[in-house]
Amino acid sequence: MLTMSQIVPFLLGTMLFSCPPAEGASAESGHLPNRDEIPQQYKWSLDHIFALDEEWQAAYNKVKNSLPALAKMKDTLSASPQNLLTCLKTRNEAGIVCGQIYAYARMHRDENSANTKYQAMTGRVEALLSEVGAATAYIEPEITAMPEETLRQFRQDEPGLKEFEFYFENLLRQKKHVLSPQEEELLSRVAEVTQASENTFNMLAHADIKFPKITDENGREVQLSEGRYRTFIMSDNRDVRRQSFEALFNTYNQYRNTFASTLAGSVKNNVFLSKTRKYDSTLASALESDNVPDKVYTNLINTVHKNLGPLHRYVELKKKALKIDEMHMYDLYVPLVSDVKFDIPYEKGCELVLEGLEPLGPEYLDVLKKSLDAGWVDVYENQGKQTGAYAWGIYGVHPFVLLNYNDRYDDVSTLAHEMGHALHSYYSQKTQPYTTASYTTFTAEVASTTNEILLLDYMLKKTTDKRQRLYLINQYLEAVRGTVYRQTMFAEYEKLLYEKSEAGETLTADLLDELWRDLNEKYYGPSMVVDKEVQVEWARIPHFYSSFYVYQYVTGYSAATALAQQIQQEGQPAQERYIGFLKSGGSDYSLNILKKAGVDMSLPDPIEITLKKFASRLDELEKLLAE
């Protein structure tokens, strides 16, 4: 089967880095522009993939027409090394084109989720991917059925198979989980059906759900959206925060049973697949593909549990700094320094990112500068646009980045984050053959977060203003709270969901609410009032539809903390190791790639180092507030 990491985009930070409204579409104006009102210079250039829809159709037809030839190679792979190479090369060619046609349709759809033309085109590609998977489902079973000595001899006799060395190694390692050709084909054919829960969630959350209007700081009635929620929840005006919080979650609450059904369906699908492939658990199934031991996941949760004290202290400090009697969930995101504003237009934001990433060296900066002016980035929010932010690497083209930029510092940080993803894809796809070009989700957040950390450290060095320093330290603490603590809470929630489902329990909306409330109370501690509205927050987390994905935000952040420190302290040697990491793609197991870069993620040490840094900066914040 084509691996989904090869043909499906990295939808990174979609919820974690949900962005504010676009320029000209701010909460102040109350106006959210149509797509055609956004200047072209702030839109990505999807014609770099296909100039016209007709070219897309021709590429679609090319893949469709190649399927009979792919299917005819069945039962021939063990006949000769040339047959094996031809088959793998042909599948790769189909994978490259599939990646391009899917990206083109899906990103056009993300420009406006209500665009039925690109909804349909996206659906057609998803159906085609299922067909390609079915037509090639015999490949892994045939390879694993070969005597290992035969495969070893093939690899010696045919030089062209060299690029598949790691593929063979990883495949043979998981041999016991590969099914018969008939069973693999059947699973491939139901792939489109098993996407139904996620597709339903996306349509409900991004196209159909409508939020009410609220009253802004100026007393004007404005439309709430997912993009604008990030602005309102950080408002200095507590009533605006409360309004937006209640309006958003009460709206989700109206659909909680439907969201519970879609999430439960996704969980059941993943449990079914893991059992079908003879894994001990869905967690083991998710981790084994990258040779990550279960202890990495459990170490993470246990290490964070041992370090919840600083988070509880942060909540208490924020309560005192805001001078409020009770700390509610809607108070969590407001900056501690209310009168510090960063009005950073997009062009200035690009300059700050370039300055902040100077420690990565001239080669990296040169690529970054060119990419910002080359049609890679879609900058501002418009009606119907996909919320949040992501980067999408397309083999044979170049990466693209979706933003919803709104002139805040966290938008600049998001820009740095997503460009980290983009340049990771750029380097890996430029250096690696298609077979090993796709980096794993375990390493996916490392490059992006390294950029964020370097940018923030640069801003802290640059500022001499006490209140700006307070703001930036608070931004760091919020980044760790949101990425390390919060995503670990997500990871623990997901672990509980699968354990209950695997034990035969039904994932009702009431159970999902209860589990979410209990974890919020544990993580945020006694100083936090866990409002009843937040119980349904699980319903808006898209990453739960990619099983056991979110923990890698935490491991990625922890690895990035260590790597950023090495780059700042060592200079060129660490730069070279880091660029080597970016170029590695998926050419080895993630833990090995990170070890070569200088970080051992099989140990809890990087997580502990990160949380100790959190506690240290919390100490600094307390001192500044006391002055």
Side-chain angles (χ1 to χ4, degrees), residues 540-557:
R540 66 189 284 259
I541 311 299
H543 292 91
F544 289 156
Y545 294 85
S546 301
S547 61
F548 299 105
Y549 178 95
V550 295
Y551 87 100
Q552 294 159 116
Y553 283 120
V554 190
T555 56
Y557 194 98

Side-chain angles (χ1 to χ4, degrees), residues 375-412:
W376 289 22
V377 186
D378 203 81
V379 180
Y380 294 121
E381 185 181 17
N382 57 254
Q383 290 279 0
K385 184 178 175 180
Q386 168 74 38
T387 58
Y390 65 66
W392 192 331
I394 306 170
Y395 199 89
V397 187
H398 60 70
F400 289 87
V401 169
L402 179 141
L403 301 174
N404 283 275
Y405 193 91
N406 195 40
D407 298 359
R408 304 175 69 101
Y409 173 76
D410 61 317
D411 296 302
V412 182

Side-chain angles (χ1 to χ4, degrees), residues 582-618:
L582 298 180
K583 291 180 177 179
S584 295
S587 60
D588 198 352
Y589 300 119
S590 297
L591 294 181
N592 293 340
I593 289 174
L594 287 170
K595 279 183 181 180
K596 292 175 186 176
V599 181
D600 188 352
M601 293 307 302
S602 66
L603 303 174
D605 299 16
I607 301 160
E608 291 176 343
I609 290 169
T610 301
L611 295 179
K612 285 179 182 177
K613 184 177 180 181
F614 176 87
S616 176
R617 285 205 163 151
L618 181 58

Side-chain angles (χ1 to χ4, degrees), residues 2 17 59 65 74 129 134 152 161 170 184 189 228 246 287 306 328 347-348 355 383-384 415 485 501 521 534 616:
L2 282 173
F17 300 102
N65 295 335
K74 185 177 180 180
L129 296 180
R152 189 178 301 113
L161 289 173
N170 198 28
E184 291 288 354
R189 290 191 181 280
R228 289 176 173 180
E246 292 177 353
L287 300 186
K306 293 175 184 176
H328 287 260
E347 288 76 10
K348 178 61 177 176
E355 293 167 5
Q383 290 279 0
L415 173 62
Y485 284 113
S501 183
E521 290 175 349
V534 85
S616 176

Side-chain angles (χ1 to χ4, degrees), residues 412-430:
V412 182
S413 184
T414 298
L415 173 62
H417 178 102
E418 299 304 340
M419 294 311 297
H421 285 308
L423 265 67
H424 194 178
S425 294
Y426 168 83
Y427 273 110
S428 63
Q429 292 176 356
K430 181 181 179 183

Side-chain angles (χ1 to χ4, degrees), residues 285-299:
S285 173
L287 300 186
E288 189 171 335
S289 62
D290 194 27
N291 204 22
V292 175
D294 288 12
K295 70 175 183 178
V296 172
Y297 202 96
T298 54
N299 278 345

Side-chain angles (χ1 to χ4, degrees), residues 95-134:
I96 291 170
V97 179
C98 280
Q100 293 170 356
I101 60 177
Y102 186 57
Y104 180 85
R106 175 63 185 272
M107 287 194 287
H108 268 303
R109 192 192 82 177
D110 288 349
E111 293 173 347
N112 182 359
S113 296
N115 189 318
T116 57
K117 174 183 178 181
Y118 291 109
Q119 284 182 26
M121 288 170 65
T122 300
R124 288 178 63 198
V125 182
E126 289 174 348
L128 180 62
L129 296 180
S130 181
E131 292 182 50
V132 175

